């Protein structure tokens, strides 16, 4: 009996909390409802007290009326609150302060009533503050809810095990599932098998670091049975007291991915098709050059020589575009062997020194052990770094190339005293097609691919490439190659083969 009374009481408190402190509702309730409710409540409590007069009547005249005032204020606002206070004071004075059934005009009883009224006024002002605060909180929550619900991106919140706790209606637009269907399905069963391993590692990574946010591109099974490309940003908010979940923010970017793929395929095919005719034009140009030389036609020989220089630039450009296509498709093949890095640096410096009279390339070498890797590709990186050093120091000067041998790696640096790169651009120069724009940067030819290709080549061989630079103070581009790369790549091969 006692237990169920408590249960009813707590349910009542819950309802009071939910409906009374909304604030917003007070304004929409008509005047007669707000005051009528107070009158009904006052009448009900008075009858109840009269019924149980021996327990809650004479001994505690004001008991329950505090509650009436609080509820009346919550339901109807300040007006009904003050109205209930006055009526309660009068009713208590008449019915419940002994001697009962008469009004009291003595000082002691009047002070009692006055204290009750003052306490009630305090409660009214407190409940007004609570109502206003809760209305503010509710408004903010509603605003955020509306933003999430109407966002173009799909938003889902999952618990630590991956079970979906919330999904926004936009999942339908992105993946075809209704909110109800999406909440029921196991997201892991809808991920493309080829990306399962990567995503599991990615997810584990995010789960390890509270507060972290990371993005990944992967395929997901659309409700219509097709695979769609999804750009998914996952934020670990498990530690966040109001979220306690992993938030996934995703959009279907299949159209964009397909277009990009088509563009890449086109560039790949076009450059591949260009390569053959350009190579044969170069061969013919060389034959012509030899003939003109032999016939002593120096004017024509000079022109063909200039043509040959331009052809070399074109071939380098085509080579860069082809490399990018290979990198993007994960098909950049490495031909690895042991080679002497000092010898390679020497060869390339000698070759590039011949291309400039305005720059002096100074070499500082250190003899280290033979290194394992793709000599030609590392040569390509060196050529790119030294050519850039020449290109981006138009006022000429010295270019230092130095090699440092450590116990675990060899570092090669190319230092120029040219334009330098500002902080904003420094991290981005290794991105695909990134070029420093502006009056100075724009005047140098290039596609912004050399450093991107260099970065990929060095990364593939277990190394690291970076730049230290300041605008106007020259740049130092360095890369480091690990000496144990062979061992690591052999181990990797064995593990992959075993799999
Ligand atoms: P490209 O030289 O063809 O534009 P890169 O990928 O080699 O492409 O270089 C990317 C950008 O980095 C260049 O456009 C240039 O602005 C900047 N950069 C590269 N090397 C240097 C350097 N040594 N000094 C100043 N800026 C450089």
């Amino acid at each position: 009996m006692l237990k169920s009374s408590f249960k009813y009481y707590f349910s009542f408190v819950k309802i009071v909390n939910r409906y009374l402190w909304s604030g917003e509702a007070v304004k929409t309730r008509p005047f007669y409802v707000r005051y009528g409710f107070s009158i009904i409540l006052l009448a009900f409590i008075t009858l109840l007290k009269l019924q149980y007069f021996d327990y809650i009547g004479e001994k505690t005249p004001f008991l329950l009326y505090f509650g009436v005032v609080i509820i009346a204020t919550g339901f109807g606002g300040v007006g009904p609150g003050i109205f209930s206070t006055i009526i309660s004071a009068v009713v208590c004075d008449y019915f419940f302060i002994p001697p009962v059934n008469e009004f009291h005009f003595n000082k002691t009883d009047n002070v009692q009533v006055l204290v009750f009224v003052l306490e009630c006024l305090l409660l009214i002002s407190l409940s007004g503050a609570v109502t206003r605060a809760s209305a503010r909180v509710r408004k903010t929550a509603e605003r955020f809810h509306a933003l999430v619900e109407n966002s173009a991106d799909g938003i889902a919140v999952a618990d630590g095990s991956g079970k979906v706790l919330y999904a926004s209606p936009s999942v339908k637009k992105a993946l075809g599932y209704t909110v109800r269907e999406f909440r029921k399905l196991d997201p892991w069963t809808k991920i493309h098998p080829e990306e399962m391993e990567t995503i599991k590692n990615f997810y584990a990574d995010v789960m390890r670091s509270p507060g972290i946010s990371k993005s990944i591109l992967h395929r997901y099974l659309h409700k219509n049975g097709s695979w769609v490309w999804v750009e998914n940003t996952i934020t670990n908010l498990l530690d966040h007291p109001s979220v306690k979940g992993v938030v996934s923010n995703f959009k279907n970017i299949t159209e964009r991915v397909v277009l990009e793929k088509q563009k890449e395929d086109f560039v790949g095919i076009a450059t591949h098709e260009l390569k053959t005719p350009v190579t044969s034009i170069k061969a013919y140009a060389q034959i012509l050059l030899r003939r003109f030389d032999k016939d002593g036609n120096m004017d024509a020989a000079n022109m063909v020589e200039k043509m040959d220089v331009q052809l070399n630039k074109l071939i380098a450009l085509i080579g860069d575009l082809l490399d990018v296509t290979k990198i993007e498709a994960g098909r950049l093949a490495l031909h690895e062997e042991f080679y002497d890095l000092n010898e390679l640096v020497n060869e390339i410096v000698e070759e590039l020194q011949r291309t400039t009279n305005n720059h002096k390339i100074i070499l500082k070498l250190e003899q280290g052990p033979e290194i394992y890797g793709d000599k030609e590709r590392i040569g390509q990186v060196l050529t790119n770094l030294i050519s850039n050093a020449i290109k981006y120091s138009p006022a000429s000067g010295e270019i230092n190339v130095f090699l440092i041998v450590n116990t675990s790696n060899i570092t090669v640096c190319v230092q120029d005293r040219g334009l330098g790169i500002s902080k904003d651009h420094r991290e981005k120069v290794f991105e695909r097609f990134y070029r420093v724009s502006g009056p100075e940067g724009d005047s140098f030819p290039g596609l912004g691919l050399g450093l991107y290709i260099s970065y990929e080549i060095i990364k593939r061989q277990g190394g690291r490439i970076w730049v230290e630079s300041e605008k106007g103070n020259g740049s130092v581009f360095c890369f480091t190659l690990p000496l144990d790369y062979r061992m690591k790549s052999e181990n990797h091969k064995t593990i992959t083969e075993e799999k």
Side-chain angles (χ1 to χ4, degrees), residues 175-187:
L175 305 169
Y177 302 97
T178 61
V179 170
R180 188 188 278 251
E181 286 164 345
F182 190 75
R183 285 193 58 177
K184 273 193 199 146
L185 59 82
D186 174 4

Side-chain angles (χ1 to χ4, degrees), residues 140-156:
T140 315
E142 272 174 6
R143 190 177 310 138
F144 279 105
H145 198 248
L147 284 176
V148 169
E149 294 273 303
N150 296 303
S151 150
D153 292 2
I155 297 171

